[in-house]
Amino acid sequence: MALRNCTLLSKRAINFFSRAKPEIISHPCRLLHTEFAKVTQVQQGGSPRFIGVSSGFLNSGCSFSRRGFATALAEGTDQQHSGKTKQEDASVDAAWPNEAWSDVAKEIFHQLNAGTENGDWKRHPGYLRTGERRLYSRNISEQGKGFEYAIFLNKKEQRATCVCQFGPYLQGPPGHVHGGALATMLDAVIGTCVHDALEGFWLTANLNINYKKPVPLGSTALFHAKVVRQDGRKGYLSAYVTSADGQTTLCEATSLFIKLSREQIEKANKHLPQDSQSNTTAK
């Protein structure tokens, strides 16, 4: 049976849809919720089954596949457990596709997110905070205007992959992304990679970038970073950026990160707000 004409319902999925309220279920999960009454009586056991349903709601303009279902189900479950929707939360995990993401960016996200199912990869949360202090790469609250991205990490392989869509507020040359915006994302992806792969708290010592091609505004790019080696408190990393299809190299980079000593961390903590100090705990 074609995947687009059926849906995989397991005991977990049925339990979720039977308890969840429509307003906390994200699209495309909400599409399934509206059709759930048609199939809820068919599957009562715990074994997954393919259940034939009308393909109309599966073909309603969204790319719906097993990985998309897994992503939407996890997102809806997280919201249900938190007891509040994203709109009600002061700190929103922005490392999920929103309405401003292009179909290309969403498809890449779902492909990367599917890699988290076996435990080798994990998605790095990215919080959009509304307070006075904000992460530089997530300081624009209006969807689609700045950086729209999600980072995925593989600790065993010491690698990171990021899908990023560049909004109109990141313009440099007319119609293209500012080189500093690309540098920001390179530093963010490389920095996230080194903090996940190596113990301790690391800061950028240098970042060398070779720009290969201009990047159009509104386009989606893929960032790849990996740890090359560690030499004491020095961490050497490399990275490159490609077009969404992986066929064009947009820029390449190498970077040196320095691991802070316990004394340096304690000194830095004296100048940080109390709620920020947990992020710089020495390991």
Side-chain angles (χ1 to χ4, degrees):
M1 184 181 295
L3 182 60
R4 69 189 184 91
N5 292 325
C6 62
T7 181
L8 180 62
L9 290 180
S10 63
K11 183 175 181 181
R12 179 189 176 197
I14 285 180
N15 288 339
F16 170 74
F17 284 116
S18 62
R19 295 194 309 267
K21 298 179 180 180
E23 58 267 21
I24 70 168
I25 303 176
S26 62
H27 180 82
C29 223
R30 187 178 292 108
L31 297 175
L32 280 178
H33 190 272
T34 60
E35 298 288 331
F36 179 70
K38 298 180 181 180
V39 297
T40 185
Q41 298 300 324
V42 180
Q43 169 68 13
Q44 296 297 335
S47 301
R49 289 180 55 187
F50 284 102
I51 302 174
V53 295
S54 168
S55 61
F57 73 99
L58 293 178
N59 296 329
S60 58
C62 66
S63 176
F64 195 88
S65 62
R66 183 181 69 83
R67 62 177 176 269
F69 174 74
T71 299
L73 178 61
E75 182 181 23
T77 303
D78 290 343
Q79 292 177 7
Q80 184 181 21
H81 290 330
S82 68
K84 52 189 174 182
T85 63
K86 285 185 176 181
Q87 288 77 13
E88 295 170 343
D89 197 343
S91 299
V92 175
D93 185 354
W96 285 100
N98 58 53
E99 294 180 355
W101 284 43
S102 67
D103 290 341
V104 171
K106 290 177 182 177
E107 180 65 19
I108 294 174
F109 173 90
H110 292 314
Q111 291 175 2
L112 294 173
N113 198 50
T116 65
E117 295 179 359
N118 61 12
D120 292 338
W121 289 83
K122 65 179 180 181
R123 182 184 65 87
H124 182 70
Y127 292 101
L128 177 62
R129 304 187 183 277
T130 57
E132 180 180 353
R133 297 174 183 267
R134 306 186 184 189
L135 184 65
Y136 181 67
S137 58
R138 295 199 186 276
N139 62 3
I140 300 175
S141 58
E142 190 174 356
Q143 291 182 349
K145 299 301 184 182
F147 300 98
E148 295 286 354
Y149 68 97
I151 300 174
F152 293 83
L153 301 163
N154 189 315
K155 187 177 183 67
K156 181 179 180 180
E157 298 180 6
Q158 298 185 326
R159 294 196 294 132
T161 299
C162 170
V163 53
C164 180
Q165 178 179 300
F166 298 96
Y169 290 179
L170 305 176
Q171 180 171 259
H176 292 82
V177 180
H178 195 289
L182 289 167
T184 293
M185 283 308 306
L186 277 167
D187 189 55
V189 176
I190 296 173
T192 304
C193 179
V194 71
H195 278 91
D196 180 71
L198 307 177
E199 292 187 352
F201 188 81
W202 300 76
L203 291 178
T204 311
N206 65 56
L207 176 61
N208 303 309
I209 304 173
N210 292 321
Y211 295 95
K212 300 290 188 178
K213 298 283 186 179
V215 181
L217 282 177
S219 65
T220 299
L222 280 169
F223 291 71
H224 302 273
K226 67 176 182 179
V227 175
V228 177
R229 71 180 191 277
Q230 181 181 1
D231 183 10
R233 292 174 54 207
K234 296 181 179 180
Y236 297 88
L237 294 94
S238 64
Y240 64 96
V241 185
T242 71
S243 55
D245 60 8
Q247 298 302 307
T248 304
T249 300
L250 303 174
C251 58
E252 299 172 338
T254 58
S255 184
L256 169 64
F257 274 70
I258 302 298
K259 179 180 178 180
L260 297 187
S261 66
R262 183 178 297 275
E263 292 75 18
Q264 289 173 317
I265 293 176
E266 291 176 351
K267 183 178 180 179
N269 275 339
K270 297 178 181 179
H271 304 283
L272 292 176
Q274 189 64 35
D275 59 355
S276 301
Q277 295 186 15
S278 59
N279 297 326
T280 57
T281 303
K283 295 182 179 180

